[in-house]
């Protein structure tokens, strides 16, 4: 039997209209409504004031669109009050008095809140603002009515949903981590024969990679087995197999309908702080650990390595370019042959032009001094290499190239890559130049052959190599594109085939040389990093996984909400979107480590781009985002249905990468932050806010379409808001929540994606979100000032039904009574100020213990 529960204290509300899954809702469906006294919200002591029943058909047939029903006692013997049930039409605004419950016990009239569980949402909430993308499920909806300053009534609908990406994104990332590390092992094995010293280091690195792969595969297997809710509750944040999954990832949407303004909706994603909770924060978070690790490397005798950290980053970039450009060149070469086979001039022109551009990009990406230097170092690491200058000495963890004994610890050398690299006269340095120049020459031959086959230009000697040869090719290509029609198309594929094969072989040779050289660079980095550096990489993987799941959830929600907004779509493909993470963590105790993890995780999101694709079908499985790439760069593809995809701008449909600019602002608000501000250090918070303000300000300056941004009822423009935010981030003020409010306002005005986080995305997060929602109702929709506190209390109210789902967590508990269990804090720093205070504290503690045992 469906049931409704209502309370009698101010504000009164209805909640919990429930139907079993699959239960048909028709006119014969009867609803039982029970009114409780919520003065004491605990399930053991709540009192039933009365109950009544009615059918859905009676409510639908009522001309007044409402029913006045008598509340009767539980035994049905007497009447204790009356309740008015009103049929609320979604998307319409009724005139007259507000819906209310009247009870003889207190005789109050209050705002109505209607809560709907998933089975009801498709029937009750048909508003377009509540259409769910396929990655969201299990929605919970509530409806409120509040009075405006004009004595009209606004309807406010809240919807909270779970997101399947909480588990989908971590599973995909784990598979990519495993794939990348297995690729690294394969690259190390393909280095060929190395001297015994380097070979031992390679085996050690491969063994460590194997351990990481085994751990990730085990975690992936456990995640694949999971069923049930699509979110990770806070009580599970200490479980190893769930460490890649974000905590309490939910979407919150508030849809407002009022007479004075068009419908509006406001989105925010709530999520626990992306951090390695399972690994703990005894030694701090990622920001501190990475800084300490780099400092230790600089201060040890192992600093003299072949390549600097900047070179290792460049090596990863080169490998990423290889992985992206080589398959593309092969596809374009095949497309050229296909066009030649069909005798199609226009596709041939397009394929030849694109092939020329991508080949030039490929050559310039690999024409780097680092590749040549790494090839020389790899040659020096081969067995039997003897330098003409004598043994190479290198004070790094791996030793010198070809060195068989550890370096001397008493005289460390300065970090200069050339000190441990053999003289170039000992190695054929022209070999690499010839290898990559052959790519340009082979392309030049293809263009020349096409030119001769069309008989529109003379045969030229195109023997120059390198980038200059490609420039000559482009000049000749322009002549080709001006030609009119094909002649004898059957000969084209036969003539071009051997030249295309030569181009592919030259590209493969370049890839082989470059991949080996870059793998050798990364081998040295890994050898110096074992085991601490690779452990930090695992921690970074965990934090990034949680952050990316939240970001993808927010991007999908924002994309579906703005599909019909041309200004938003233009902003999306021209400059990208800002993603603002609001953090409420304190800078005290273990939450400092969480904030340090979160800072690095949010910063790493700069390596992510999005791409919109066309889905194969309307099947929800084909509408799930797909992640691809390596640790240095990931791409998230978001499929859209055919009709929706075709309506997008050309730039988005053509697959242009869409940028996201993540920013993080943190202001601690709990009692631990009070201790931190009085006795601790809040420099981490100040640095984070200052750094991310500069990113936000830079994004605004790059935005050239401000006229298309959302309008606001406030007269303050964006530039003034940014100036005020800049002043606040440098102002010394305790718990300056103005920073969070300004950052959130700027983000909404910039069409951005909003996130709110605390430790577990529960108490502090819910208080922040509800306060923000009521402030929006006041500022943007003219909520009556007398209703502000009532609206806030109503949104924060909960019915306590036995505490189902609650876990033993410091932030757990009913939101109606959201204060955590009382704790006693002994500020030792205060006691240390004076020895007299310490003595007094010891005496009082002794007296307390004696009194307790007596």
């Amino acid at each position: 039997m469906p049931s409704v529960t209502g309370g009698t204290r101010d504000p009164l509300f209805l909640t919990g209209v429930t139907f079993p899954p699959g239960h048909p809702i028709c006119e014969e469906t009867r609803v039982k409504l029970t009114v409780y006294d919520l003065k004491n919200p605990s399930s053991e002591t709540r009192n039933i004031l009365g109950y009544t029943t009615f059918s859905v058909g009676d409510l639908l047939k009522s001309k007044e669109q409402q029913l006045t029903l008598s509340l009767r006692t539980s035994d049905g013997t007497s009447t204790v009050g009356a309740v008015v049930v009103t049929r609320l039409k979604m998307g319409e605004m009724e005139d007259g008095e507000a819906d209310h419950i009247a009870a003889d016990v207190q005789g109050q009239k209050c705002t109505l809140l209607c809560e709907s569980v998933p089975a009801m949402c498709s029937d009750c909430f048909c508003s377009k603002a509540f259409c769910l993308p396929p990655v969201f499920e299990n929605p919970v909806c509530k409806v409120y009515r509040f009075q405006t300053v004009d004595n009209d009534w606004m309807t406010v609908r809240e919807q909270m949903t779970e997101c399947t990406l909480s588990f989908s994104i971590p599973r995909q990332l784990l598979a990519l981590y495993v794939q990348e590390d297995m690729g690294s092992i394969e690259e190390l094995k393909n280095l060929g024969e190395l001297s015994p010293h380097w070979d031992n280091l390679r085996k050690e690195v491969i063994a460590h990679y194997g351990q990481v792969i085994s751990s990730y595969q085990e975690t992936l297997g456990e995640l694949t087995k999971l069923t049930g809710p699509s979110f990770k509750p806070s009580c599970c944040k200490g479980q190893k197999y769930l460490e890649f999954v974000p905590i309490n990832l939910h979407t919150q949407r508030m849809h407002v309908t009022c007479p004075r303004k068009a419908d509006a909706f406001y989105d925010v994603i709530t999520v626990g702080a992306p951090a390695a909770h399972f690994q703990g924060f005894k030694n701090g978070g990622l920001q501190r650990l990475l800084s300490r690790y780099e400092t230790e490397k600089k201060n040890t005798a192992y600093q003299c390595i072949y390549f600097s950290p900047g070179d290792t980053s460049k090596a990863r970039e080169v490998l990423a370019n290889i992985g992206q450009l080589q398959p593309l060149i092969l596809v374009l070469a095949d497309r050229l042959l296909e066009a030649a086979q069909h005798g199609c001039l226009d596709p041939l022109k397009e394929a030849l032009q694109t092939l020329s551009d991508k080949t030039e990009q490929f050559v310039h990406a690999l024409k780097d001094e680092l590749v040549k230097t790494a090839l020389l170092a790899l040659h020096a690491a081969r067995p039997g290499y003897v330098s003409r200058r004598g043994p190479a000495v290198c004070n790094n963890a791996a030793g010198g190239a070809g060195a068989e004994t550890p370096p001397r610890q008493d005289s460390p050398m300065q970090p200069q890559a050339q000190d441990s690299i053999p003289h170039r006269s000992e190695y054929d340095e022209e070999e690499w130049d010839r290898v990559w120049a052959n790519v340009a020459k082979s392309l030049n031959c293809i263009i020349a052959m096409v030119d001769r086959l069309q008989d529109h230009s003379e045969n030229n000697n195109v023997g120059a190599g390198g980038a200059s040869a490609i420039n000559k090719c482009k000049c000749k290509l322009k002549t080709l594109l001006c030609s009119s029609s094909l002649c004898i198309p059957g000969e084209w594929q036969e003539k071009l085939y051997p030249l295309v094969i030569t181009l592919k072989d030259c590209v493969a040779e370049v890839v082989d040389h470059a991949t080996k050289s870059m793998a050798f660079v990364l081998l040295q980095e890994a050898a110096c990093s074992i085991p601490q550096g690779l452990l930090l990489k695992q921690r970074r993987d965990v934090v990034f996984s949680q952050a990316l799941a939240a970001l993808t959830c927010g991007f999908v929600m924002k994309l579906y909400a703005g599909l019909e907004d041309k200004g938003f779509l233009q902003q999306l493909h021209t400059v990208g979107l800002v993603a603002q993470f609001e953090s409420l963590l304190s800078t005290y105790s273990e939450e400092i480590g969480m904030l340090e993890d979160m800072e690095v995780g949010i910063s790493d999101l700069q390596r992510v781009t999005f791409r919109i694709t066309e889905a194969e079908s309307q099947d929800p499985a084909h509408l799930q985002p797909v992640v691809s790439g390596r640790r240095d760069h990931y791409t998230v593809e978001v499929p859209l249905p055919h009709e929706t995809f075709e309506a997008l701008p050309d730039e988005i449909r053509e697959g242009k990468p869409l940028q996201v600019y993540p920013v993080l602002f943190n202001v601690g608000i709990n009692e631990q932050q009070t201790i931190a501000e009085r006795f601790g250090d809040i420099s981490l918070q100040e640095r984070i806010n200052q750094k991310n303000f500069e990113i936000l300000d830079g994004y605004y300056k790059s935005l050239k379409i401000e006229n298309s941004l959302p309008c606001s009822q406030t007269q303050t423009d964006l530039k003034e808001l940014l100036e005020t935010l800049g002043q606040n981030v440098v102002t010394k003020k305790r718990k300056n929540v103005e920073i969070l409010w300004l950052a959130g306002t700027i983000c909404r005005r910039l069409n951005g994606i909003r996130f709110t986080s605390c430790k577990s995305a529960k108490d502090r997060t819910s208080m922040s979100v509800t306060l923000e929602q009521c402030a929006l109702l006041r500022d943007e929709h003219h909520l009556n000032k007398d209703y502000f506190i009532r609206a806030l209390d109503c949104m924060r109210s909960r019915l306590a039904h036995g505490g189902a789902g609650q876990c033993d967590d410091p932030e757990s508990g009913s939101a109606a009574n959201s204060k955590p269990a009382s704790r006693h804090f002994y500020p030792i720093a205060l006691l240390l100020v004076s020895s007299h205070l310490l003595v007094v504290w010891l005496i009082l503690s002794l007296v307390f213990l004696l009194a307790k045992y007596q």
Side-chain angles (χ1 to χ4, degrees):
M1 173 69 70
S3 63
V4 181
T5 59
T8 60
R9 66 174 183 175
D10 188 11
L12 295 172
F13 57 90
L14 289 174
T15 184
V17 182
T18 61
F19 290 87
H23 188 283
I25 303 173
C26 57
E27 293 186 0
E28 289 75 21
T29 301
R30 296 197 61 82
V31 178
K32 179 180 180 181
L33 186 147
T34 306
V35 178
Y36 293 96
D37 181 5
L38 294 183
K39 290 183 179 179
N40 191 333
S42 67
S43 60
E44 293 78 14
T45 60
R46 64 186 181 186
N47 297 319
I48 298 178
L49 296 180
Y51 78 96
T52 187
T53 62
F54 65 95
S55 68
V56 174
D58 292 337
L59 183 60
L60 295 175
K61 295 175 183 177
S62 173
K63 295 182 179 179
E64 295 80 15
Q65 299 186 1
Q66 66 180 26
L67 295 175
T68 301
L69 306 171
S70 298
L71 288 175
R72 306 187 66 81
T73 57
S74 58
D75 57 6
T77 57
S78 59
T79 301
V80 294
V83 60
V84 178
V85 180
T86 301
R87 187 178 77 201
L88 181 63
K89 294 183 179 180
M90 298 300 103
E92 298 181 6
M93 180 60 63
E94 296 86 3
D95 298 328
E97 294 295 324
D99 300 344
H100 62 274
I101 299 173
D104 291 344
V105 178
Q106 294 182 343
Q108 297 176 336
K109 293 185 178 182
C110 325
T111 305
L112 168 72
L113 179 153
C114 176
E115 180 177 341
S116 175
V117 297
M120 288 287 290
C121 291
S122 59
D123 298 310
C124 292
F125 299 93
C126 55
S127 170
K128 190 169 185 178
F130 283 84
C131 292
L132 290 177
V135 299
F136 302 132
E137 61 183 16
N138 298 332
V140 176
C141 304
K142 296 181 181 179
V143 180
Y144 313 83
R145 298 189 72 196
F146 302 123
Q147 196 172 40
T148 66
V149 293
D150 298 328
N151 294 324
D152 290 321
W153 293 91
M154 71 171 71
T155 301
V156 180
R157 304 179 183 88
E158 281 188 305
Q159 177 172 284
M160 181 182 72
T161 61
E162 301 170 13
C163 183
T164 60
L165 301 179
S166 290
F167 291 90
S168 171
I169 296 298
R171 283 196 293 263
Q172 293 184 61
L173 277 178
L174 279 167
L176 290 174
Y177 292 154
V178 170
Q179 179 182 351
E180 182 179 346
D181 289 344
M182 292 179 69
S184 298
I185 291 177
E186 193 65 25
E187 291 169 357
L188 292 176
K189 292 180 178 179
N190 290 337
L191 282 176
E193 192 176 3
L194 298 175
S195 65
H197 181 75
W198 283 109
D199 191 52
N200 290 334
L201 287 174
R202 174 168 58 181
K203 292 177 181 178
E204 186 177 354
V205 171
I206 289 176
H208 191 90
Y209 273 135
Q211 295 174 3
V212 174
I213 291 172
S214 176
S215 174
Y216 282 7
Q217 287 176 332
E218 184 178 0
T219 301
L220 180 59
E222 294 295 329
L223 289 181
T224 305
K225 299 176 184 177
L226 293 178
T227 58
S230 296
F231 72 98
K232 167 186 167 183
S234 60
C235 57
C236 298
K237 60 176 171 282
Q239 294 187 12
K240 174 176 173 52
Y241 296 136
L242 296 177
E243 62 177 341
F244 289 86
V245 181
I247 300 171
N248 276 331
L249 177 59
H250 289 83
T251 65
Q252 316 279 342
R253 170 166 290 180
M254 181 178 71
H255 184 201
V256 184
T257 303
C258 64
R260 295 187 56 176
K261 187 177 180 181
D263 285 15
F265 55 88
Y266 306 91
D267 294 336
V268 63
I269 291 87
T270 57
V271 62
H277 296 275
F278 170 77
Q279 300 180 29
F281 310 96
K282 181 178 180 180
N283 298 315
L286 269 174
Q287 188 272 335
R288 192 190 320 175
L289 292 172
L290 290 171
S291 177
R292 185 185 303 161
Y293 172 64
E294 293 298 330
T295 302
E296 290 175 355
K297 286 177 63 178
K298 293 179 181 179
N299 294 334
T300 62
Y302 303 112
Q303 175 59 28
C304 179
I305 62 177
Y306 284 118
F307 305 101
S308 66
D311 288 335
T312 57
S313 298
K314 180 66 177 178
R316 293 190 180 92
E317 181 182 345
V318 170
L319 289 174
N321 288 331
I322 291 173
Q324 179 183 5
L325 292 175
Q326 184 192 16
L328 184 58
I329 290 175
L330 298 181
V331 170
L332 292 173
D334 292 336
R335 189 179 300 171
L336 182 68
L337 290 177
E338 183 180 356
Q341 180 182 6
H342 293 87
C344 301
L345 178 59
D346 290 339
L348 181 67
K349 294 176 181 179
E350 180 182 354
L352 191 57
Q353 178 69 62
T354 309
L355 178 62
S356 176
D357 292 339
K358 292 303 178 183
T359 305
E360 180 183 11
Q361 184 179 348
F362 176 79
V363 169
H364 281 291
L366 300 184
K367 187 186 175 183
D368 193 285
E369 189 68 20
L370 174 63
V371 181
K372 182 183 294 186
T373 302
L375 284 171
L376 295 170
L378 178 58
H379 174 72
R382 298 298 185 192
Y385 169 78
V386 178
S387 174
R388 295 179 183 176
R389 298 185 300 161
V393 180
C394 177
N395 294 332
N396 67 339
E404 303 297 335
T405 58
R408 295 177 57 185
Q409 301 290 326
D410 54 347
S411 59
M413 298 172 61
Q414 294 301 317
Q416 310 228 348
Q418 291 80 5
D419 289 343
S420 53
I421 295 177
H423 195 272
R424 292 186 178 178
S425 61
E426 304 165 16
Y427 181 70
D428 187 4
E429 62 181 82
E430 300 297 330
E431 180 180 347
W432 173 242
D433 293 330
R434 290 194 299 269
V435 169
W436 66 260
N438 285 338
V439 175
K441 293 179 180 179
S442 60
L443 176 65
N444 191 24
C445 292
I446 292 175
I447 296 177
M449 177 58 71
V450 173
D451 189 35
R452 287 197 299 272
L453 289 174
Q454 294 192 93
D455 198 24
H456 283 290
S457 63
E458 298 179 355
N459 292 326
N460 295 320
N461 183 10
V462 286
S468 61
I470 291 185
N471 292 332
K472 294 180 181 179
C473 294
K474 283 196 165 185
C475 296
K476 192 170 291 295
L477 181 59
K478 292 179 180 178
T479 303
L480 167 64
L481 298 180
C482 296
S483 56
S484 56
S485 61
L486 284 172
C487 59
I488 321 178
E491 298 181 359
W492 280 69
Q493 187 183 33
E494 181 181 354
K495 298 289 186 181
L496 287 174
Y497 182 78
L499 299 178
V500 170
I501 294 300
T502 301
L503 175 63
K504 291 182 177 181
D505 291 341
C506 291
V507 169
E509 187 177 9
V510 168
V511 168
D512 180 67
H513 282 69
T515 301
K516 288 181 178 179
S517 64
M518 296 300 96
F520 188 68
V521 174
L522 298 181
L523 168 62
Q524 296 178 78
E525 182 202 32
C528 294
S529 300
I530 293 176
Q532 183 180 359
L534 294 179
L535 291 175
L536 287 178
K537 184 178 72 173
Q538 295 178 51
R539 187 183 187 101
R540 201 165 187 170
D541 288 345
V542 168
V543 177
F544 178 77
S545 173
Q546 298 178 26
L548 181 60
L551 178 64
T552 306
C553 171
F555 183 87
V556 172
M557 192 175 192
K558 189 67 179 178
L559 175 65
Y560 275 82
L563 286 173
E564 297 182 359
D565 187 343
K566 294 183 179 179
F568 165 76
L569 295 176
Q570 181 185 358
Q571 177 186 357
L572 179 62
H573 72 77
T574 54
V575 294
L577 295 180
V578 63
Q580 185 245 332
F581 288 80
E582 172 187 296
S583 170
L584 306 172
L585 295 172
S586 67
T587 54
Y588 180 83
S589 187
E590 67 174 11
E591 289 197 7
I592 297 180
M594 296 179 198
L595 184 57
E596 290 171 340
D597 273 1
M598 188 175 184
E599 179 190 7
V600 176
I602 301 306
S603 178
D604 284 347
L605 292 177
Q606 298 175 16
R607 301 178 287 155
V608 179
T609 57
F610 289 83
R611 182 176 289 112
I612 310 301
T613 60
E614 182 177 359
E616 297 180 10
S617 69
Q618 297 277 5
D619 189 335
H622 293 154
L623 296 173
Q624 300 296 315
V626 178
V627 186
S628 61
R630 298 169 62 98
R631 284 184 176 89
D632 55 319
H633 178 76
Y634 287 101
T635 299
V636 182
E637 295 184 355
V638 181
L640 292 179
H642 173 74
E643 297 78 7
T644 306
F645 181 78
E646 290 298 322
L648 295 175
D650 293 341
E651 293 84 353
I652 297 180
R653 286 191 290 106
E654 292 170 359
K656 180 178 180 180
L658 308 175
Q659 300 290 333
V660 175
Y661 297 85
V663 293
L664 169 65
F665 291 92
N666 183 85
V667 176
I669 61 172
N670 61 1
E671 67 277 3
Q672 291 187 342
Q673 184 64 21
T674 303
I675 299 176
E677 290 177 341
R678 291 182 179 177
F679 309 108
D681 181 13
I682 61 172
S683 60
L684 172 64
Q685 174 176 285
E686 295 173 344
R687 181 181 56 78
I688 289 175
N689 291 339
Q690 178 63 40
K691 174 184 175 182
N692 287 272
F693 165 74
E694 294 171 359
I695 298 175
L696 185 62
D697 188 54
Y699 173 84
Y700 167 75
K701 292 177 180 178
S702 67
L703 196 62
K704 305 299 182 183
I705 52 175
E706 186 172 342
N707 292 335
S708 63
L709 294 177
C711 299
S712 174
Q713 295 294 327
T714 61
Q715 300 299 319
T716 308
D717 60 13
L718 270 171
K719 185 176 181 181
E720 184 176 347
L721 287 172
L722 279 163
E723 291 175 353
T724 306
L725 177 60
Q727 295 170 1
N728 275 271
V729 297
V730 297
T731 301
K732 302 290 184 180
K733 181 181 178 181
R734 293 181 178 178
K735 295 185 179 180
N736 189 3
V737 294
E738 188 74 10
I739 292 175
L740 300 180
W741 176 250
L742 287 168
T745 302
I746 293 169
C747 177
R748 284 189 298 272
R749 296 278 294 275
L750 288 174
N751 262 330
I753 311 169
R754 287 267 295 118
F755 301 85
T756 300
S757 299
C758 60
K759 179 180 179 180
S760 301
K762 291 194 299 186
D763 288 352
R764 280 173 280 179
T765 296
S766 62
M767 295 300 161
S768 174
V769 170
T770 50
L771 179 61
E772 178 183 2
Q773 290 181 164
C774 289
L776 287 170
L777 295 177
R778 177 194 61 198
D779 299 338
E780 301 291 338
H781 301 278
H782 307 286
L783 175 68
N784 191 312
K785 64 179 181 180
D786 296 333
Y787 270 75
F788 184 88
I789 298 300
R790 299 176 68 182
L792 191 63
D793 290 342
C794 194
M795 288 182 174
R796 290 178 174 177
S797 297
R798 298 286 190 276
L799 283 178
H801 296 288
Q806 295 295 333
C807 301
D808 186 15
D809 186 274
E811 289 191 301
S812 64
S814 171
N817 187 17
S818 59
K819 294 182 180 180
S822 60
R823 303 172 185 172
H824 299 284
F825 294 98
Y826 296 96
I828 302 300
L830 179 63
L831 298 176
L832 295 178
V833 172
S834 170
S835 59
H836 299 289
L837 289 177
L838 182 60
V839 172
V840 171
W841 176 69
L842 291 173
I843 294 175
L844 290 177
S845 299
L846 181 60
V847 171
F848 174 80
L849 290 175
L850 291 175
K852 180 179 180 180
Y853 284 107
Q854 287 178 354

